[in-house]
Amino acid sequence: MGTAQKSQPAPKAVLSLGDAVFIGTGSMIGAGLFAAFAPATAAAGPWLFLSLALAAGIALCNATSSAQLAAQHPESGGTYLYGRRQLGHLWGYLAGWCFLVGKTASCAAMALTFGAYLFPGHEKLLAIIALWVLTAVNYRGITRTAALTKILVTLVLLALAVFGVALVLGTGPAPVALPSPEPAGSLYGILQGAGLLFFAFAGYARIATMGSEVRDPARTIPRAINLTLALITVLYTAVAFALVSQLGYGALAVSSAPLAQAVGSAPALSQLMGIAAALAALGALLALITGIGRTGYAMASHKDLPGLFARLHPTYAVPHRLELLLASVATLLILVTDLRGAIGFSSFGVLLYYLIANISAYTQSGSHRIYPRWLQLAGACGCLLVVLTLPAVSLAGGTLMVTLGLLVYWFYARPRASAL
């Protein structure tokens, strides 16, 4: 057994700061711009921007925690590894479990977004095809993943630039939007809106799950996380302002394709936004597959998942068996779920994941402390508060998911626990 373990290929540190920022940006653009604004507006109403600010504030606290932890533990695994080392086996396991289940739901959501924009009426078939094509790309190694992500993000940003110019210049017909009653909004709705919008911010720390594949990770990962979050916050605010200005809160709350609707009935611009949405969803899906595989690999390496998932491909050095399994599970989810339900379910798992990240960072001391503890305390409280206001179906599904994870821990992972 010892010899076999030593012969395992190690992940290669090939990603630069630019690669890391592109992967983080690609993880967030698809989720936020094209999937989260409508349900968040339905919850928060005219207080949408307050929900956005709250989600961004929680994300900032979480980002500083992830950056600080990644600097001390620059290895693949993200908060699964951080929680295990800082708090103990159970906490790390729960973080990893929440990440795997929540992000698998995100894969289904992004694949469905791609299919809905590109081939309405047949979105499930196209979603499954896209999922498996991108799984095959990631199977071939992290450098191909980073290269494709750069292309997708660049194309989406160019499309968004055209979107912005069209709105500023007032080109094309006026937006086509049926009158809709404006959602009233409330404190509960503001918090729920922040929880749904947090789904859009959740990709900023994706690069932390690939610490072993980043050059100079102790320096690169914190910089990449903070740069990505700053870029995306500015972009989300600008797009939200444009959507509200063009559609109003009522129409935005019920829109299935708000960016396409905001540019009016001009076919070329509307089709461009549809293509941009599809490409953005592909970028987010690709980054999700990458991050899930690395976290699952770390869990299997420490016997929290079956050992057959702890083996990397002998040529491409990726956790290929786990990625194929996750693609299969995501395929099943695509067949049985819808987009809005997947967003709420994903937010539940991701918020608990970052709750553990904040608690883990709070325990760091000495030279490992980069940011003040109040940021981690604020992040933990924000995650806990917002997760409790998610839709009831998301709370029920999330609670069931955590219960199942605890059973797996108690009967499988705990007896096989290995010391780091």
Side-chain angles (χ1 to χ4, degrees):
M1 289 295 291
T3 304
Q5 186 67 23
K6 289 180 182 177
S7 65
Q8 279 285 290
K12 300 175 182 178
V14 295
L15 299 180
S16 66
L17 175 62
D19 294 329
V21 171
F22 266 106
I23 288 176
T25 303
S27 302
M28 299 168 71
I29 287 180
L33 288 177
F34 304 103
F37 276 116
T41 304
W47 302 102
L48 172 66
F49 287 96
L50 187 54
S51 289
L52 181 61
L54 181 58
I58 295 173
L60 174 62
C61 294
N62 296 346
T64 60
S65 293
S66 294
Q68 183 172 283
L69 288 162
Q72 182 178 353
H73 308 290
E75 302 168 42
S76 295
T79 301
Y80 164 70
L81 180 71
Y82 311 150
R84 184 167 176 143
R85 290 189 172 176
Q86 296 295 135
L87 302 173
H89 183 208
L90 174 59
W91 289 95
Y93 170 86
L94 280 176
W97 180 267
C98 289
F99 185 89
L100 290 180
V101 177
K103 290 305 180 182
T104 301
S106 293
C107 283
M110 287 301 95
L112 285 167
T113 299
F114 170 77
Y117 272 97
L118 209 59
F119 201 5
H122 302 276
E123 57 268 15
K124 289 186 181 288
L125 174 61
L126 196 58
I128 292 171
I129 293 173
L131 173 66
W132 282 98
V133 168
L134 293 189
T135 298
V137 170
N138 193 66
Y139 191 98
R140 300 275 294 181
I142 190 65
T143 53
R144 287 174 174 81
T145 298
L148 181 55
T149 301
K150 285 182 181 179
I151 294 171
L152 293 173
V153 171
T154 300
L155 291 174
V156 172
L157 289 176
L158 288 173
L160 289 174
V162 174
F163 168 76
V165 170
L167 294 184
V168 169
L169 297 181
T171 58
V176 176
L178 297 176
S180 302
E182 185 172 296
S186 63
L187 177 58
Y188 183 86
I190 292 169
L191 294 174
Q192 186 176 107
L196 294 169
L197 283 171
F198 186 81
F199 172 81
F201 284 96
Y204 57 83
R206 186 80 72 251
I207 195 63
T209 65
M210 297 176 285
S212 300
E213 295 161 290
V214 178
R215 294 197 295 265
D216 190 12
R219 182 169 180 265
T220 300
I221 291 177
R223 292 177 64 198
I225 290 173
N226 292 327
L227 282 172
T228 301
L229 181 60
L231 173 65
I232 290 298
T233 300
V234 171
L235 181 62
Y236 283 4
T237 303
V239 171
F241 181 80
L243 291 176
V244 171
S245 298
Q246 291 295 104
L247 301 177
Y249 294 104
L252 177 56
V254 299
S255 176
S256 59
L259 270 77
Q261 189 175 353
V263 295
S265 58
L269 288 175
S270 184
Q271 290 170 10
L272 176 63
M273 288 302 100
I275 293 172
L279 293 176
L282 285 182
L285 178 57
L286 183 59
L288 282 166
I289 294 169
T290 304
I292 293 170
R294 273 56 180 181
T295 297
Y297 168 74
M299 294 183 72
S301 298
H302 295 103
K303 301 182 181 179
D304 285 336
L305 292 177
L308 63 94
F309 297 124
R311 294 189 175 275
L312 299 176
H313 192 281
T315 302
Y316 304 120
V318 298
H320 56 298
R321 293 173 179 171
L322 184 63
E323 289 178 355
L324 292 175
L325 173 64
L326 291 170
S328 299
V329 175
T331 299
L332 179 62
L333 288 174
I334 289 169
L335 294 173
V336 301
T337 192
D338 66 347
L339 178 59
R340 295 193 180 197
I343 289 176
F345 184 76
S346 175
S347 292
F348 185 96
V350 174
L351 283 163
L352 291 184
Y353 174 85
Y354 283 114
L355 171 65
I356 296 172
N358 282 299
I359 297 172
S360 299
Y362 187 84
T363 66
Q364 290 178 282
S365 60
S367 60
H368 300 301
R369 174 151 297 283
I370 302 173
Y371 303 101
R373 277 192 168 90
W374 69 263
L375 278 174
Q376 290 109 51
L377 185 61
C381 292
C383 287
L384 188 59
L385 177 64
V386 168
V387 78
L388 293 175
T389 64
L390 288 172
V393 115
S394 301
L395 286 173
T399 301
L400 180 63
M401 173 266 294
V402 171
T403 302
L404 177 61
L406 287 173
L407 290 175
V408 173
Y409 171 80
W410 188 262
F411 291 106
Y412 182 86
R414 183 173 175 269
R416 294 165 176 79
S418 60
L420 284 176

